[in-house]
Amino acid sequence: MLEVDDLHVYYGGIHALKGIHLSVDEGRIVTLIGANGAGKTTVIRAIVGLVKLNGGSIVFRGKDITRHPTHQIIRQGIAVSPEGRHVFQNLSVLENLELGAYKLSTAEFREQLEWVYSLFPRLEERKIQVAGTLSGGEQQMLAFGRALMSRPRLVLLDEPSLGLAPLVVEEVFRAIEQVNRQGATILLIEQNAMAALTIAHYGYVLETGKVALEGPGAELLKDERVRNAYLGD
Amino acid sequence: MTTTIFLQQLVNGISVGSLYALVAIGYTMVYGILRLINFAHGDLLMVAAYAAIFGIGIFSNPWIAFPLAILITGCIGVLLDRAAYRPLRNAPRISLLISAIGASFLLENLFLVIFGGVPRPFPRPDFFARVIEIGGLRIQVLTIYAPLITILLVLGLLYIVYWTKAGKAMRAASRDFETTRLMGINLDRIIALTFLLGSCLAAAGGIMWAMKYPQVNPFMGIFPGIKAFIAAVLGGIGNITGAVIGGFLLGLGEIMIVALMPELAQYRDALAFVILILVLLFRPTGIMGETTVE
């Protein structure tokens, strides 16, 4: 569904991504783990055209989307729940969700809204509340829900567990699995390698801008190197 | 001072204030999204006034000429963004500011070259020029229509900003460009819409200004532009309601102070700057401004 090949990105003089490749098959949860600064977020930003590419190609559903403008990439059926959540603090929960469904008709919007509310009932309870007043966990649900509003085929989730209490993390991960079972493909970026690999079908380990290791989630969980570096064994 | 004169001045102040308000909205909207003081905004008043003069010359009907002039000015506002600001989206903000000042000089001098510096009379349509008498007050109807038109336009604008999808996208963009793009929203189009709306309101203000002070020249937009900018700061720059309140307060304050203390009449224009300095010193966020702007 998504094929990323030989991606190169420079930030000033720093070679942030050094020929990343990854592929996400339809219906899967694929995760990208790695330490801080390994380039995980840059991969997502590169896919949706928020950073300048210095080389490589990105193909989504057979169509080359390399260097397309961000809004056009999103309209192909990719949604992003960005790192740090970035909900629109000055808008209400419902308005945030409406913007997620910017290109949908009113009927489609209602349908999606019902679905997102069923995934995160808390959002419905707080729909008229200004998003800036939500708790961190609720903002994460909103960022995720907002991404789902566009009827995406592929959801890019950047660090959904960052700064959340363990109980909330569990809730978010349960939602990821549920959304995936209902047909959405997921590319999950995580520092919480244990949680991510547990639910992922396939995983990539990123180290200083390169794919150091890849394999099915369960296998990576057992891998000596992964255990030493990311799981604290 | 008699009650009649007092009321006369009160009405006058509200009327002038409404024009400041209309122009201030454009400053505040563009600032809200681009964090840019669009110095060329005041010149759009002048553009609208010329467009209206030629519109009336061609159609001799203000109901065709004025909306057309407003639309043309709106498009010039969009063009301004496209040519002077959009290429600098990722540049440091100071470059944008310099570009804005350049655009302002360009508009003024372009009109000077094309139309000359001799002020042109503005053909005031009878509809606005009539004088009516209410309880001993003799008032030109424009003085009454101006605030009414302003309120209608502001209500329309608030509807767009708060109830339509595009308006919500504008408010989102005022906080976070990247995430707005991630919603599949064409950010450049939203910014263009912001310029269109702000410029159309400034044009409406400019046409009424030209009817009030019917001398049209290439530099006529500078002073009302600066005043409206001060009104926007007074109200809390970035906040639409604040700009409207700031506009009315500034217009009212200017006229009333002169009415109450005629010896200060010469300082009328300086008053606005005194207000600007005081606001910046004691409440930089303005009346409606909070720690964050919307």
Side-chain angles (χ1 to χ4, degrees):
Chain A
M1 173 177 244
L2 178 75
E3 297 289 337
V4 172
D5 194 38
D6 199 27
L7 215 55
H8 288 268
V9 170
Y10 286 84
Y11 282 135
I14 299 159
H15 200 170
L17 297 186
K18 304 165 184 161
I20 296 279
H21 70 91
L22 67 93
S23 108
V24 180
D25 289 336
E26 182 140 22
R28 293 301 184 88
I29 299 178
V30 174
T31 187
L32 201 59
I33 59 173
N36 244 337
K40 303 186 301 287
T41 295
T42 308
V43 173
I44 282 201
R45 293 172 60 80
I47 292 170
V48 295
L50 287 178
V51 292
K52 199 173 145 261
L53 296 184
N54 295 87
S57 72
I58 302 156
V59 176
F60 179 63
R61 303 181 70 231
K63 201 179 159 204
D64 189 347
I65 56 167
T66 320
R67 293 189 183 85
H68 282 209
T70 301
H71 66 270
Q72 279 174 20
I73 295 173
I74 298 296
R75 289 176 193 180
Q76 302 285 322
I78 298 181
V80 182
S81 168
E83 183 185 11
R85 314 191 252 278
H86 286 270
V87 298
F88 298 114
Q89 308 257 344
N90 52 335
L91 304 186
S92 72
V93 168
L94 183 60
E95 286 173 328
N96 268 276
L97 295 173
E98 281 176 303
L99 286 179
Y102 199 72
K103 278 287 137 185
L104 264 51
S105 72
T106 313
E108 291 170 319
F109 160 72
R110 291 229 175 85
E111 204 176 296
Q112 288 305 102
L113 189 66
E114 214 165 286
W115 179 51
V116 168
Y117 279 164
S118 73
L119 285 170
F120 303 109
R122 198 88 59 84
L123 295 182
E124 183 166 20
E125 288 163 27
R126 309 202 171 236
K127 60 185 172 191
I128 54 166
Q129 201 168 320
V130 175
T133 64
L134 297 179
S135 73
E138 288 163 345
Q139 291 198 14
Q140 183 55 57
M141 290 171 200
L142 179 55
F144 191 11
R146 183 181 61 183
L148 296 175
M149 285 300 295
S150 63
R151 286 195 169 173
R153 292 167 191 278
L154 172 65
V155 186
L156 310 181
L157 287 170
D158 197 348
E159 302 268 14
S161 74
L162 198 70
L164 298 186
L167 227 66
V168 184
V169 173
E170 238 174 76
E171 195 178 343
V172 169
F173 273 75
R174 265 203 307 276
I176 295 173
E177 283 191 288
Q178 194 179 340
V179 167
N180 174 249
R181 274 197 303 274
Q182 295 182 12
T185 309
I186 309 263
L187 176 57
L188 170 66
I189 288 197
E190 259 303 335
Q191 278 195 54
N192 186 343
M194 175 69 101
L197 290 174
T198 306
I199 65 164
H201 301 104
Y202 201 84
Y204 293 85
V205 180
L206 221 60
E207 263 167 25
T208 59
K210 278 188 217 139
V211 175
L213 211 59
E214 63 179 283
E219 266 175 44
L220 287 179
L221 264 180
K222 282 183 256 158
D223 190 284
E224 197 73 15
R225 285 164 294 178
V226 174
R227 297 196 74 88
N228 283 334
Y230 304 105
L231 304 177
D233 280 8
Chain B
M1 187 168 60
T2 65
T3 322
T4 320
I5 293 181
F6 177 82
L7 286 177
Q8 187 102 45
Q9 298 294 8
L10 191 71
V11 174
N12 245 335
I14 293 172
S15 186
V16 173
S18 72
L19 300 187
Y20 290 155
L22 275 182
V23 183
I25 290 169
Y27 277 109
T28 233
M29 285 175 77
V30 168
Y31 183 86
I33 284 208
L34 293 184
R35 300 290 179 270
L36 160 77
I37 306 298
N38 178 13
F39 277 108
H41 187 64
D43 296 305
L44 294 176
L45 262 78
M46 174 272 294
V47 172
Y50 276 101
I53 288 182
F54 288 104
I56 287 185
I58 295 166
F59 301 105
S60 58
N61 177 347
W63 304 116
I64 299 172
F66 289 178
L68 198 66
I70 289 173
L71 206 64
I72 289 172
T73 310
C75 292
I76 289 180
V78 173
L79 200 70
L80 190 69
D81 168 52
R82 183 73 188 80
Y85 307 141
R86 189 157 139 191
L88 298 171
R89 256 342 160 236
N90 299 315
R93 219 168 295 160
I94 190 77
S95 312
L96 262 181
L97 204 64
I98 293 168
S99 188
I101 294 170
S104 169
F105 288 166
L106 177 74
L107 278 175
E108 288 160 16
N109 289 291
L110 189 70
F111 275 68
L112 183 65
V113 169
I114 299 175
F115 302 116
V118 184
R120 289 170 191 245
F122 191 87
R124 234 184 319 208
D126 296 337
F127 181 82
F128 292 100
R130 275 186 304 124
V131 173
I132 53 167
E133 228 184 282
I134 312 171
L137 286 185
R138 287 178 54 79
I139 304 170
Q140 196 185 59
V141 287
L142 173 68
T143 313
I144 296 168
Y145 289 156
L148 295 180
I149 291 171
T150 298
I151 287 168
L152 278 181
L153 291 176
V154 168
L155 289 178
L157 179 74
L158 290 176
Y159 173 79
I160 292 175
V161 170
Y162 284 92
W163 292 97
T164 66
K165 253 190 200 180
K168 286 165 194 169
M170 280 165 71
R171 283 188 289 145
S174 77
R175 286 301 176 87
D176 191 335
F177 272 9
E178 276 194 356
T179 311
T180 304
R181 283 203 179 105
L182 288 180
M183 301 297 109
I185 294 166
N186 185 343
L187 187 66
D188 283 322
R189 202 173 289 173
I190 291 299
I191 294 174
L193 177 69
T194 307
F195 273 88
L196 179 73
L197 292 173
S199 307
C200 285
L201 294 183
I207 292 171
M208 288 194 274
W209 187 273
M211 287 197 278
K212 202 170 178 61
Y213 307 102
Q215 294 251 315
V216 174
N217 72 71
F219 301 100
M220 66 172 274
I222 297 176
F223 244 86
I226 291 174
K227 296 277 187 66
F229 165 64
I230 292 172
V233 174
L234 172 64
I237 192 136
N239 184 307
I240 293 174
T241 320
V244 176
I245 293 173
F248 276 106
L249 278 183
L250 183 64
L252 210 52
E254 260 185 13
I255 301 253
M256 290 318 280
I257 283 200
V258 173
L260 296 173
M261 293 178 275
E263 63 275 17
L264 290 180
Q266 283 163 291
Y267 296 102
R268 183 183 151 184
D269 285 338
L271 177 75
F273 294 98
V274 172
I275 291 176
L276 176 65
I277 291 167
L278 290 179
V279 171
L280 291 179
L281 280 179
F282 296 109
R283 194 172 161 81
T285 52
I287 296 168
M288 297 284 287
E290 291 151 32
T291 40
T292 50
V293 286
E294 175 166 321

